[in-house]
Amino acid sequence: VQLQASGGGLVQPGGSLKLSCDASGFTFERYAIGWFRQAPGKEREGVLCISGNFGRTYYEDSVKGRFTISRDDAKNTVVLTMNNLQPEDTAIYYCAIRVIFCSDRSDAYFRWGQGTQVTVSS
């Protein structure tokens, strides 16, 4: 089971990024994929998740209306689209998997990608 997060970078406030989580080694469509982030000096927090039945769950109120999540089971990929990025969105973003349903608890996920850095700065 492997997860590979990518797509991070430096963007100005108000800009957009798309993060991808590419998976291999398991039956992708049966799993929920969660995105978490961790800013320097802060705890890891759940951002957004998509379940194995395509349900979507937001865990961070500040991203509602700005971030969306989608999955392509044929390509074993989940994409986190981030619009109107703000400096407070700066963090390392991680994707993780658990069986079928989403959870806002990071310890509920059994496999994590390596993280991708998102920096929002002018």
Side-chain angles (χ1 to χ4, degrees):
V1 176
Q2 289 188 331
L3 296 175
Q4 179 77 29
S6 62
L10 173 64
V11 64
Q12 292 185 342
S16 298
L17 281 175
K18 286 189 177 182
L19 305 184
S20 294
C21 180
D22 298 314
S24 62
F26 61 99
T27 307
F28 186 73
E29 61 266 24
R30 297 179 183 175
Y31 291 84
I33 307 296
W35 282 97
F36 291 76
R37 66 186 181 185
Q38 188 165 18
K42 295 186 177 181
E43 294 187 354
R44 190 172 296 187
E45 63 179 7
V47 176
L48 190 55
C49 178
I50 187 165
S51 66
N53 60 359
F54 287 83
R56 295 168 177 79
T57 305
Y58 293 87
Y59 298 121
E60 176 53 50
D61 286 343
S62 68
V63 308
K64 290 181 180 180
R66 300 189 297 124
F67 290 13
T68 59
I69 191 170
S70 63
R71 64 188 296 158
D72 185 338
D73 289 344
K75 296 181 179 179
N76 283 11
T77 296
V78 168
V79 174
L80 180 68
T81 301
M82 306 184 295
N83 297 315
N84 191 22
L85 283 160
Q86 300 300 315
E88 53 267 32
D89 296 316
T90 295
I92 299 174
Y93 284 71
Y94 300 88
C95 61
I97 61 171
R98 70 184 306 270
V99 178
I100 301 177
F101 300 113
C102 291
S103 172
D104 61 348
R105 293 182 53 175
S106 60
D107 61 0
Y109 294 77
F110 70 90
R111 188 59 57 96
W112 292 77
Q114 86 287 0
T116 184
Q117 176 70 49
V118 172
T119 302
V120 185
S121 175
S122 55

